[in-house]
Amino acid sequence: MRTTGFRSMVLYILLAAFLGGLGYLLVNFVFNGSKWAMQPYNGHINSENSTVKLGDITDRDGNVLATTENGTRIYSGDESVRRALLHTVGDPYGYISTSVQSTMSAKLSGYNIFTGLNDTIFNRMGSNITLTVNQSACAAAYNALGGKNGAVLVYNYKTGEILCKVSAPTFDPENVPEDLETNDAYKGAYLDNTLSASFTPGSIFKIVTAAAAMERWPDSWETMTYDCQGAVELAGSNVTCFHGNAHGTQDMAAALGNSCNVYFAQLANELGADALQAKAEEMGFNTQFSFEGISIAKSTIDVSGTNANELGWAGVGQHTVLANPYHMMVLMGAIANGGEYVQPKLAQGGNLLGGGGGDRQLVSSTEASQLKNLLRNDVANYYGDYLFPEGMNVCAKTGTGEVGDEKGPNCWMVGFCDSAEYPYAFSVLVEDGIGGIESAGSVASAVLSALA
């Protein structure tokens, strides 16, 4: 009897394991079946005689970005557009996992769990998707990068529509290079820098340090001054200004316009590590953002245990600080919008895959107004309104994040247009550049001019 009972127990355990495994498989089939079906090794899709017809992808004006002809995926007739939108639209092999052809494959293919990829009277294949991007603006951004790697994002901070989304390095999906896997020029070409990477921000992080001061000293931050002689010694080492420039005695508006490291390094130390870290996290650092169901690479900061020199460098966007271009875009949108950002979207008709941004209040309404004034002062009195189309009323900050290894800096410009006609927030990163204005500013100018 004991033997029979033991065998029964073993059978019940095996049955439970089988049913559990079957349930796990079915749940994964329901949620991931479309991804399994759309894998690049599926010959039913990728063979020359494939009967699967993916729907068209078009930009906001109806320009075709990708279509299917005779079982082959065909991309835009403009090479600059193809290269600019590779990471947004997708590659022929499905390797860019954040692209529309990967994340929205079920809609494009007409796949469902009952008929799979079969074209039946119950399920018509090849649903079309209209994106919010403007192909001309994307091509302008790509061309303005001038062969440099980087990321360019622009969105309407009132509606959430992404108007420009460009990542480089890139390649032509219509003529895939034979040395794609071996040529260092294409290293990282499958990675979308706008969503999946973070970079040393340099002086654009001074926006965060300024906001922390506004919170700590709401009645006196505007009149706080520090003296800059080109460098300041903190914990036995210098924090230096760019090219050793001596800016003299400055308040915050002048220090942000001059991008004075000495000012903001001293300010960071007066704030303290805990206050700077807390404000950065309130503004989205160390936070997991989501876009169209995609988890965005985090912007990060960790100033715990830092000495005065390290904290000073963190306050100007160096040391352990990293920033993601998507996060910086929505932060600019939040400042433009009174503190709260609108969730970005890439497909017309709404966010197809869901995925919100969590708490969308990144700064208080008072801080947003004060930061807007500072960023407007940067452009009006330091960078020059001539960079941008008339009437855009651009508010912005540049940055040069030093990366070492004998490479040029990460050059940034982030900002927004304080304009009802042009409600655009933007984030531009150029790797191995010259300076914020020279490298990133020229790209921002090109893309905003194209949108105007």
Side-chain angles (χ1 to χ4, degrees):
M1 294 296 290
R2 289 182 179 176
T3 301
T4 302
F6 176 75
R7 290 175 177 173
S8 298
M9 183 176 67
V10 171
L11 288 174
Y12 283 129
I13 291 173
L14 291 174
L15 178 61
F18 171 75
L19 292 175
L22 181 61
Y24 178 78
L25 177 63
L26 289 174
V27 169
N28 273 276
F29 175 70
V30 170
F31 287 101
N32 298 312
S34 64
K35 295 179 182 178
W36 297 347
M38 299 304 296
Q39 290 298 314
Y41 48 73
N42 186 347
H44 181 57
I45 299 172
N46 297 307
S47 69
E48 292 182 2
N49 299 316
S50 172
T51 59
V52 176
K53 182 181 186 301
L54 299 181
D56 293 347
I57 301 174
T58 58
D59 81 341
R60 65 186 300 108
D61 298 315
N63 298 301
V64 176
L65 304 177
T67 188
T68 301
E69 294 181 6
N70 301 320
T72 301
R73 200 65 170 157
I74 305 297
Y75 298 88
S76 168
D78 186 312
E79 182 178 349
S80 290
V81 172
R82 294 197 301 268
R83 289 176 176 270
L85 286 165
L86 172 72
H87 297 85
T88 300
V89 173
D91 65 287
Y93 311 120
Y95 292 152
I96 300 176
S97 61
T98 56
S99 69
V100 168
Q101 290 186 161
S102 291
T103 60
M104 302 181 187
S105 58
K107 181 176 176 64
L108 283 169
S109 65
Y111 170 91
N112 69 53
I113 61 175
F114 300 107
T115 62
L117 290 171
N118 294 305
D119 193 5
T120 70
I121 60 174
F122 304 104
N123 180 49
R124 308 309 300 176
M125 291 172 54
S127 299
N128 299 330
I129 292 177
T130 300
L131 302 183
T132 60
V133 296
N134 178 306
Q135 70 166 19
S136 297
C138 294
Y142 166 73
N143 289 327
L145 283 170
K148 294 286 189 180
N149 297 338
V152 185
L153 279 166
V154 183
Y155 94 129
N156 184 315
Y157 57 78
K158 294 297 185 183
T159 66
E161 294 177 320
I162 288 188
L163 303 173
C164 176
K165 179 176 171 292
V166 176
S167 176
T170 183
F171 59 88
D172 183 355
E174 202 71 47
N175 300 285
V176 180
E178 294 182 0
D179 60 348
L180 179 62
E181 303 293 340
T182 58
N183 190 334
D184 284 345
Y186 300 114
K187 187 176 181 180
Y190 292 129
L191 181 72
D192 187 341
N193 283 331
T194 65
L195 306 178
S196 303
S198 296
F199 306 85
T200 303
S203 293
I204 61 170
F205 187 78
K206 291 169 183 171
I207 297 169
V208 177
T209 309
M214 293 170 181
E215 182 175 72
R216 173 69 71 83
W217 303 291
D219 299 322
S220 59
W221 65 269
E222 289 183 274
T223 57
M224 294 176 65
T225 61
Y226 295 97
D227 183 61
C228 170
Q229 296 303 317
V232 60
E233 184 177 326
L234 296 169
S237 298
N238 282 345
V239 173
T240 57
C241 277
F242 197 54
H243 296 314
N245 291 333
H247 299 113
T249 300
Q250 305 169 96
D251 60 13
M252 187 179 291
L256 198 67
N258 287 317
S259 204
C260 178
N261 289 347
V262 168
Y263 181 100
F264 282 93
Q266 293 178 91
L267 180 62
N269 273 278
E270 192 161 347
L271 282 163
D274 290 344
L276 184 62
Q277 177 96 15
K279 193 61 180 179
E281 291 181 350
E282 179 185 325
M283 296 174 74
F285 283 78
N286 297 338
T287 298
Q288 186 69 74
F289 289 85
S290 179
F291 167 68
E292 299 284 15
I294 300 164
S295 293
I296 304 301
K298 290 182 181 181
S299 295
T300 58
I301 180 174
D302 181 6
V303 290
S304 58
T306 53
N307 63 31
N309 184 270
E310 293 165 337
L311 182 58
W313 279 116
V316 303
Q318 297 286 156
H319 190 49
T320 62
V321 185
L322 295 173
N324 167 265
Y326 173 91
H327 165 223
M328 296 311 299
M329 178 188 72
V330 297
L331 177 57
M332 294 302 103
I335 295 171
N337 256 337
E340 185 174 1
Y341 74 90
V342 174
Q343 176 67 22
K345 59 183 178 181
L346 186 57
Q348 290 193 356
N351 188 318
L352 296 183
L353 299 179
D359 183 2
R360 297 179 187 168
Q361 190 76 32
L362 297 180
V363 292
S364 71
S365 59
T366 299
E367 290 162 1
S369 177
Q370 293 167 339
L371 288 170
K372 181 186 294 187
N373 291 335
L374 287 175
L375 296 175
R376 177 63 194 139
N377 177 64
D378 285 350
V379 178
N381 295 314
Y382 292 88
Y383 309 155
D385 278 317
Y386 71 89
L387 286 169
F388 307 106
E390 185 176 354
M392 281 197 166
N393 208 37
V394 174
C395 309
K397 180 73 188 84
T398 59
T400 51
E402 301 295 335
V403 296
D405 297 327
E406 298 182 353
K407 294 181 180 178
N410 293 332
C411 297
W412 293 81
M413 177 176 271
V414 297
F416 55 89
C417 305
D418 185 20
S419 163
E421 185 178 1
Y422 306 108
Y424 305 149
F426 60 89
S427 173
V428 175
L429 160 74
V430 181
E431 294 184 75
D432 196 19
I434 301 171
I437 287 290
E438 299 88 343
S439 298
S442 62
V443 177
S445 175
V447 68
L448 290 177
S449 295
L451 287 171

